[in-house]
Amino acid sequence: MCKYRTLQINARQKGFGMGVSISRWYPFDGGQPENLEVVTKRDAWIELRALRANPPCPTSARTDSFRSALEQSEQLFRAAEGAGYESKPLLLFYGLSQAGRAITAASQKLSNNEWALSGHGIRATGLGGPVENIAVSDHGSMAPDRNPSLLRVAQALDSPSIPAKVTMQQLWYLIPELRGQLQISRLAPYPALFIEDANFTGKTSTTALVWGLPHDFTHTKGWAGHRGYGAEAEREVIEYLSHYPSLKCHRFAAIEPPLSSGRESHSISWGDKPRIEKAHDGGVQIAMELEERLPVEGFGFNHPSEFPRNVALRKISFTYPSLGMRVAFPAITGNIKPLHPIIAWWAILYGLSMLARYEPSAWNKAININESRHAVILEILLDEAISACPSLIRQSLCASA
């Protein structure tokens, strides 16, 4: 048996835009809920500046480029903070692009013939149409004498690139900070999902809560309130999760009574069918047992960060540093792996910067809050990039160090 308590998250602190409180269930076994570090842009830039005295580059020939690119990146991001939305995407994209040069300079995966970048390696189409329909893709295979930025940065991050066209709207759903502004439904693009440690004391297998699934699963025939869903909804949720590579092939957990029942004590069992519940954020949540069973030996149970379940959680999720949350991303454009968040931000900022640069009148209309239904989304997106991107850059480079 395991007791649960509720915890109110201030969504503005977590980066969800409009400051709406999200009520979430957190486990209570006498300790504290898992507390992931939230990395602010201030802390991210401090750590990135500290790296420049001892760059994590595999050869000394790369260090000057690493230092110079990081300095330019920081200056461009800081300039973006004070710029209007009319020019903000230009500064943000080139700030991220210069950070990409630092990432490739520090990469152990790229040879001395591969790390020095030339060209963007990405194209945008549909600049004359609605902003949400602008599509981006990479330039395809690399010529022997060229190192296009997008492809090499993706390689350094162990991420796929964008081989087929993907729209701005599809990419927006990969940005966790935008969740409160987007319509999450089964007809919409696949969104980032959130992963929490269910923290059942004494269990060496890992039970994770997955929340953020579309709310309209509750409209599926077979919904029976706290008793869960029928077979049709179970099949649909399993198919939906198949688009998330890290969430496939795991057993599901059935928590009785459901967390949404409001009861304090719960028991748990495992099986092949999901127990689907209405989540407190208005969407749907499920619990799953992660495939890998981890031994107790070798872990210091006095330190929550060393619990075996946290090792397994890291394998199925991406720790999103500016939010301090675990996230699972879908695979898009035919890739078998999800995009690294830096690549998703790269594609979005490139597309918006091309619109701002080459179609300034269309961009001004897109950010006009009196006329454009996407203006608030674009404002939040650009404001959040100022915090999210430095923390992601820091995460990538500190891992190299």
Side-chain angles (χ1 to χ4, degrees):
M1 304 292 283
C2 181
K3 292 187 176 181
Y4 273 71
R5 62 177 176 178
T6 55
L7 181 69
Q8 291 287 326
I9 299 175
N10 184 294
R12 179 170 291 157
Q13 292 175 350
K14 284 292 188 182
F16 282 86
M18 301 304 289
V20 178
S21 290
I22 300 174
S23 180
R24 297 292 308 122
W25 285 98
Y26 276 90
F28 181 67
D29 59 2
Q32 295 295 320
E34 184 184 28
N35 185 23
L36 298 177
E37 178 187 16
V38 176
V39 180
T40 66
K41 67 176 184 290
R42 176 181 179 275
D43 291 341
W45 286 122
I46 287 173
E47 292 191 45
L48 288 169
R49 292 178 68 83
L51 278 180
R52 286 161 56 182
N54 187 23
C57 300
T59 66
S60 58
R62 305 186 188 189
T63 57
D64 285 344
S65 290
F66 177 89
R67 290 164 173 155
S68 299
L70 267 189
E71 176 62 30
Q72 291 175 341
S73 176
E74 182 177 356
Q75 289 190 22
L76 286 163
F77 271 98
R78 293 195 185 282
E81 291 186 47
Y85 294 113
E86 293 78 6
S87 58
K88 203 181 288 281
L90 295 164
L91 295 165
L92 289 171
F93 171 70
Y94 283 101
L96 187 57
S97 178
Q98 292 309 99
R101 294 178 180 274
I103 289 170
T104 58
S107 175
Q108 303 282 346
K109 296 182 175 68
L110 300 181
S111 71
N112 288 333
N113 295 324
E114 295 173 331
W115 69 271
L117 305 179
S118 58
H120 293 312
I122 183 172
R123 68 186 68 152
T125 58
L127 296 179
V131 63
E132 69 272 21
N133 292 337
I134 294 172
V136 295
S137 62
D138 63 36
H139 283 173
S141 58
M142 289 175 280
D145 59 340
R146 290 182 62 82
N147 292 314
S149 297
L150 178 66
L151 289 159
R152 289 303 189 201
V153 172
Q155 184 180 348
L157 295 171
D158 195 26
S159 168
S161 182
I162 307 175
K165 288 183 179 180
V166 59
T167 66
M168 290 291 105
Q169 186 176 45
Q170 288 175 285
L171 290 165
W172 292 346
Y173 279 80
L174 303 183
I175 304 301
E177 290 91 342
L178 280 183
R179 182 173 183 84
Q181 304 303 316
L182 300 173
Q183 179 66 36
I184 307 297
S185 75
R186 286 177 290 174
L187 299 178
Y190 294 97
L193 299 179
F194 299 95
I195 312 295
E196 294 172 4
D197 184 358
N199 203 16
F200 285 92
T201 306
K203 302 292 184 183
T204 56
S205 57
T206 300
T207 305
L209 289 178
V210 181
W211 63 279
L213 284 87
H215 67 89
D216 54 353
F217 276 116
T218 60
H219 301 159
T220 300
K221 183 179 179 181
W223 168 247
H226 291 322
R227 296 183 62 84
Y229 292 76
E232 180 183 348
E234 291 170 351
R235 288 192 297 270
E236 290 182 358
V237 168
I238 291 172
E239 193 283 328
Y240 194 88
L241 291 175
S242 70
H243 295 272
Y244 296 79
S246 66
L247 300 182
K248 295 191 294 186
C249 303
H250 299 294
R251 290 202 304 168
F252 296 97
I255 302 171
E256 296 289 350
L259 298 181
S260 54
S261 67
R263 297 279 296 277
E264 289 188 353
S265 296
H266 304 266
S267 61
I268 186 168
S269 60
W270 292 274
D272 296 326
K273 296 180 179 180
R275 175 59 182 265
I276 310 158
E277 297 185 44
K278 291 181 179 178
H280 291 271
D281 69 328
V284 165
Q285 70 181 20
I286 61 169
M288 60 171 50
E289 181 194 23
L290 304 189
E291 183 177 25
E292 183 172 0
R293 308 289 187 97
L294 295 165
V296 174
E297 295 80 7
F299 294 91
F301 276 86
N302 291 325
H303 303 285
S305 64
E306 297 176 1
F307 280 12
R309 57 176 166 264
N310 289 355
V311 176
L313 283 166
R314 285 196 295 271
K315 291 183 178 180
I316 70 156
S317 62
F318 183 92
T319 302
Y320 203 85
S322 59
L323 297 181
M325 302 177 76
R326 297 193 187 280
V327 183
F329 294 102
I332 62 172
T333 66
N335 289 323
I336 61 173
K337 293 173 58 177
L339 296 180
H340 190 286
I342 285 179
I343 301 301
W345 276 110
W346 190 292
I348 290 170
L349 294 175
Y350 176 81
L352 298 184
S353 70
M354 291 300 100
L355 180 62
R357 181 177 179 182
Y358 293 108
E359 300 288 345
S361 177
W363 172 244
N364 285 343
K365 290 179 180 178
I367 58 175
N368 185 335
I369 61 172
N370 295 320
E371 297 180 2
S372 171
R373 63 190 177 95
H374 295 301
V376 171
I377 289 177
L378 294 170
E379 289 181 352
I380 294 173
L381 188 70
L382 296 174
D383 288 340
E384 294 296 340
I386 293 170
S387 297
C389 290
S391 65
L392 289 165
I393 297 163
R394 167 257 188 196
Q395 184 184 58
S396 171
L397 291 176
C398 287
S400 298

